[in-house]
Amino acid sequence: MDSNLVCNISPVAGSLEESAIRAIANFGMSQPGVTPLWFGESDISTPDFISRAAIESLNKGETLYTPNNGLPALRETLADYQNRLFSRSFSAENIVVTLSGTNAVMLAAQTIVKPEDRVVVLSPAYPVLTAIPRLLGAEVVEFPLSAAGGSYQLDIDALRTVLKGARALIINSPCNPTGWMASDEQIQQLTALSRELGFWIISDEVYNRHVYQQRCAPSFCSHMSESDTIIVCNSFSKAWCMTGWRLGWLTVPKAVRPTITKLIEFNVSCAPAFVQAAGIAAIEKGEVFLQQTVERFRVSREMTQRALTGIRGVTLYETPATFYAFLKVEGLADNSQPFILDMIETAKVGVAPGEAFGKAGRGHLRVCYGANHDALQNALHRLRNFLLAR
């Protein structure tokens, strides 16, 4: 690339690092016979009842622009869905439809973050959550979860100190990559802290339904009021196996919605009508499918725990939610990519490097156990042998 051109691009954009997960995947996809456990998706295809809704919409010629903040029918459907989950009284005026969960986080951040603001992100964290505020010119402070006894914990007292003077807190619960999940009490504490100190909360809750001991994870939706500085981000990608559809939503105080609607116009204009039709079908008809998927992942989690427990120098953390296993590997370099590339070539298994999720992820590996059970069992056997032989 012409060096003069490079010098003239945005220094913030130019300083962004390539996705370490994507780098691993690009190499792994070029190798024959590799089981991919690197991306955050299962191998379950979108169910037919969702696809048929999109096809019917296309057959009706519904390919024109839609309202910036989403079709009223989808917004009403999402409000009703969350009211059932959280015993609330949201209306369509609290809902904004987005193009994916990533777009939801970007819109939330664009709404509240200014250059030189300080934004605190709980870490380890999905890379998008730290990259977006940096792109907006903010100072990002990674606040690490505490790891002890094979589980992650959040020290709210220590976090309170860090949040003084901060513009926003970005929290992902249930968490990718750790599987950690905030308790309802902690969410209430953070809501009260936001009211006291005046910072915004952007809550990424895309794994809200992938929990193993209850119907859904504790959510800020249960406690936020119309005067709270809280924005909740969600997505159709995980719960309804729609990663490629790129459809998400925001739950916001009504007063914030007009501003986000304007931002959508200047970012992406609107979500396609036929994709939104698929979203309505997912919400209205997808509960049985969702529960079946969670049950499959419950078995997958047990398989993963059996395979990766008891390996010398390897700590497997508890995962009450998501479909990830997060491993601490003793002696693993801060840059784990050479280790994983060797794993791909030797064991024919690919995982995500922990450092992709921030400083607190160094020395770790993330395993997505979304593969079908036959493929997963085979991959876990090879992965265990590779870790035993290291």
Side-chain angles (χ1 to χ4, degrees):
M1 183 182 292
D2 190 308
S3 59
N4 290 327
L5 290 178
V6 173
C7 291
N8 280 318
I9 66 174
S10 161
V12 177
S15 66
L16 286 177
E17 296 181 1
E18 177 190 19
S19 166
I21 304 171
R22 180 62 69 171
I24 291 293
N26 288 342
F27 175 78
M29 287 186 287
S30 70
Q31 305 297 307
V34 175
T35 303
L37 305 180
W38 44 61
F39 286 145
E41 64 180 355
S42 72
D43 61 5
I44 304 173
S45 298
T46 304
D48 286 345
F49 66 86
I50 294 177
S51 299
R52 284 197 302 270
I55 293 169
E56 290 171 6
S57 176
L58 285 168
N59 286 338
K60 293 176 185 176
E62 295 176 346
T63 57
L64 303 179
Y65 289 128
T66 62
N68 296 127
N69 57 15
L71 293 171
L74 177 55
R75 291 168 52 216
E76 290 167 5
T77 298
L78 286 166
D80 290 343
Y81 167 71
Q82 296 195 145
N83 290 340
R84 293 193 302 272
L85 276 184
F86 308 121
S87 299
R88 296 301 305 275
S89 56
F90 293 116
S91 74
E93 299 304 303
N94 294 111
I95 305 297
V96 177
V97 176
T98 66
L99 269 72
S100 77
T102 299
N103 179 230
V105 176
M106 175 60 87
L107 290 166
Q110 287 177 330
T111 301
I112 64 175
V113 174
K114 307 183 302 297
E116 300 184 8
D117 278 344
R118 185 158 57 87
V119 175
V120 179
V121 182
L122 295 193
S123 181
Y126 183 55
V128 161
L129 302 184
T130 53
I132 283 176
R134 285 191 178 113
L135 277 170
L136 298 176
E139 173 198 358
V140 174
V141 177
E142 296 183 31
F143 182 85
L145 295 168
S146 304
S151 66
Y152 278 96
Q153 303 294 330
L154 173 61
D155 186 336
I156 297 241
D157 290 335
L159 178 60
R160 176 193 179 93
T161 301
V162 175
L163 283 169
K164 290 179 179 178
R167 175 64 172 172
L169 167 69
I170 299 181
I171 175 173
N172 172 213
S173 173
C175 176
N176 171 16
T178 63
W180 167 80
M181 182 170 67
S183 68
D184 189 66
E185 180 183 3
Q186 289 173 326
I187 286 176
Q188 291 186 64
Q189 290 175 324
L190 291 172
T191 301
L193 198 56
S194 170
R195 292 167 182 166
E196 177 189 345
L197 299 180
F199 60 85
W200 283 84
I201 294 174
I202 298 176
S203 180
D204 176 356
E205 301 185 6
V206 301
Y207 296 95
N208 178 265
R209 299 303 305 278
H210 282 114
V211 295
Y212 298 107
Q213 299 299 325
Q214 55 208 77
R215 189 182 181 202
C216 63
S219 170
F220 283 93
C221 287
S222 295
H223 304 289
M224 62 190 287
S225 71
E226 290 296 337
S227 61
D228 278 323
T229 51
I230 297 174
I231 299 176
V232 177
C233 309
N234 217 314
S235 171
F236 287 80
S237 291
K238 313 300 180 180
W240 297 280
C241 299
M242 296 175 66
T243 52
W245 294 77
R246 314 315 296 142
L247 187 64
W249 77 93
L250 292 166
T251 305
V252 301
K254 293 175 185 176
V256 176
R257 187 180 60 83
T259 297
I260 297 180
T261 300
K262 289 183 287 186
L263 287 169
I264 292 173
E265 170 66 22
F266 301 122
N267 273 271
V268 294
S269 292
C270 57
F274 57 90
V275 175
Q276 295 186 66
I280 293 173
I283 297 290
E284 292 182 342
K285 303 176 183 179
E287 192 63 26
V288 172
F289 168 79
L290 193 158
Q291 293 301 327
Q292 290 171 341
T293 303
V294 171
E295 285 306 310
R296 178 183 133 166
F297 290 154
R298 188 192 307 276
V299 175
S300 301
R301 183 180 66 155
E302 293 170 356
M303 293 169 59
T304 304
Q305 289 171 338
R306 285 195 301 269
L308 301 180
T309 297
I311 300 174
R312 178 182 52 82
V314 174
T315 300
L316 176 64
Y317 294 100
E318 295 176 6
T319 50
T322 75
F323 43 68
Y324 303 114
F326 203 53
L327 316 175
K328 182 178 182 180
V329 181
E330 191 176 296
L332 188 63
D334 286 350
N335 178 8
S336 65
Q337 292 192 42
F339 182 83
I340 298 174
L341 296 181
D342 183 34
M343 179 193 303
I344 289 172
E345 292 185 317
T346 304
K348 298 297 181 182
V349 180
V351 301
E355 66 269 17
F357 304 95
K359 295 177 182 177
R362 292 173 180 171
H364 295 73
L365 304 173
R366 189 197 72 179
V367 179
C368 176
Y369 50 75
N372 69 79
H373 289 160
D374 288 341
L376 180 63
Q377 185 67 49
N378 195 300
L380 289 172
H381 176 73
R382 299 195 306 270
L383 176 57
R384 177 180 177 85
N385 287 340
F386 180 83
L387 292 171
L388 285 168
R390 66 187 174 88

